[in-house]
Amino acid sequence: MTLASLFLVVLASFIHASWNLLAKTAASVGPVFVFAYNLIACVAYAPWVLFLLVHEGIIWTWTGIGFVLLSGLIHLAYSLCLQRGYQLADLSVVYPVARGTGPMLSTLGAFLILGETPSGTGLIGLALVVSGILLIATQGSLAAFTRPGGQAGVRWGTATGGLIASYTVVDAVAVTALGIAPVVLDWFSNLLRFILLLPPVIADPHRALSAMRGHWGAAIGVGLLSSLSYILVLAALTDGAPLTPWIRMRGGVSTEVVRRDASEMAISAPPRSAKGGISACRCGPCVRARSPCASFPAAPCICARTPTAWSR
């Protein structure tokens, strides 16, 4: 791995952690939020893609089209699974479990599908990274997984990790073996997700706009940063970086950033009543101020989350 590739992976890790923190703040919006930030990404990166299409030209093959479509479908499933996990469980559980499971399965895929040769030191490094991620998530105590939302976090984190591994291997083949430009692959993947999520939004646009009230800033941030972070790691792959080292590095760095920021922001899953609805807001500002939003939905949340944000 070159120094330039190393820099791209580390930078992408910090950006990736940042957009996940933003996504957690809008977890309760669900698929509408995924639609919104994919719309932002499509609009923001369209000029770059158009420039490449016009000036460099891209030779499309049925294989390439198939990989783009497969990538978009897996990314859609990943986005929805991640948002659902953030709805039901703590960020500090879902994210590290996903980032621990993803590298492990991605590495296996790199060995079996991409033909990378496993080494003893590489396997030891992978084991250390996964163990370190779990220690970061639990702070050395397995009781973190038994807290409310802990087991749900493990389930959704594991499912998300499996999808991370799937799109990682598919996209690695697309950019290295098929020569698809990283930004082009990511943009068409975003476009496919946008199209597939469009029908339910069109069916009830007022509800979608109501759900997004107060979350457009997060959508803009996630739309810009999520694509940027992934374009950077795909660029590192096209620069010749092997798949397994940057998977380990990206997972470890981004998990530590999320753990620190989530602790400071006191981000957790919204509590649920016995009937399954949201009974109160436990965000850091509300807990510290003993806000009356604990009597939800009679009073608004002081952290600027509108009552419509907490879906029932």
Side-chain angles (χ1 to χ4, degrees):
M1 181 183 292
T2 65
L3 184 61
S5 297
L6 176 64
F7 173 77
L8 289 176
V9 172
V10 173
L11 178 60
S13 300
F14 282 96
I15 296 174
H16 187 275
S18 300
W19 78 253
N20 272 267
L21 290 167
L22 290 173
K24 173 61 179 178
T25 64
S28 56
V29 182
V32 175
F33 183 74
V34 177
F35 169 84
Y37 74 70
N38 275 280
L39 170 62
I40 298 298
C42 287
V43 173
Y45 290 91
W48 188 359
V49 174
L50 184 62
F51 176 84
L52 292 178
L53 293 176
V54 172
H55 293 278
E56 296 189 9
I58 296 177
I59 301 176
W60 290 101
T61 64
W62 286 112
T63 302
I65 294 173
F67 268 84
V68 170
L69 293 175
L70 180 59
S71 173
L73 292 174
I74 298 174
H75 276 279
L76 174 60
Y78 159 77
S79 299
L80 296 176
C81 186
L82 184 67
Q83 283 300 114
R84 184 59 176 167
Y86 285 165
Q87 276 186 324
L88 300 177
D90 289 354
L91 172 73
S92 58
V93 175
V94 177
Y95 190 87
V97 170
R99 284 292 141 190
T101 308
M104 181 173 60
L105 297 177
S106 298
T107 300
L108 182 62
F111 295 156
L112 297 178
I113 300 174
L114 301 183
E116 292 191 7
T117 304
S119 65
T121 55
L123 293 175
I124 292 174
L126 175 64
L128 290 175
V129 168
V130 173
S131 301
I133 289 173
L134 292 177
L135 287 174
I136 289 172
T138 62
Q139 298 185 14
S141 174
L142 293 179
F145 295 129
T146 63
R147 293 196 300 263
Q151 294 181 0
V154 172
R155 290 194 298 270
W156 285 98
T158 302
T160 302
L163 292 168
I164 290 173
S166 300
Y167 74 62
T168 297
V169 175
V170 168
D171 293 348
V173 173
V175 299
T176 57
L178 301 179
I180 301 175
V183 65
V184 173
L185 175 64
D186 183 75
W187 190 83
F188 277 102
S189 175
N190 284 324
L191 180 62
L192 178 61
R193 281 176 275 173
F194 169 79
I195 293 173
L196 292 176
L197 291 171
L198 183 60
V201 173
I202 293 178
D204 195 347
H206 296 292
R207 182 177 181 181
L209 289 173
S210 177
M212 280 300 298
R213 189 177 297 118
H215 296 290
W216 281 106
I220 292 172
V222 174
L224 296 177
L225 296 179
S226 62
S227 287
L228 177 60
S229 66
Y230 200 56
I231 290 169
L232 290 176
V233 296
L234 292 179
L237 283 177
T238 59
D239 192 42
L243 185 62
T244 51
W246 73 254
I247 291 173
R248 296 194 297 267
M249 186 181 308
R250 186 185 181 210
V253 172
S254 56
T255 298
E256 173 62 10
V257 173
V258 164
R259 184 195 68 82
R260 290 178 179 273
D261 289 352
S263 298
E264 294 174 2
M265 296 170 65
I267 296 178
S268 60
R272 294 181 173 271
S273 66
K275 295 181 179 180
I278 302 300
S279 59
C281 176
R282 291 192 309 175
C283 67
C286 289
V287 171
R288 288 192 294 271
R290 298 182 182 276
S291 167
C293 75
S295 61
F296 180 87
C301 172
I302 65 170
C303 67
R305 297 178 184 176
T306 60
T308 54
W310 298 121
S311 59
R312 289 183 176 271

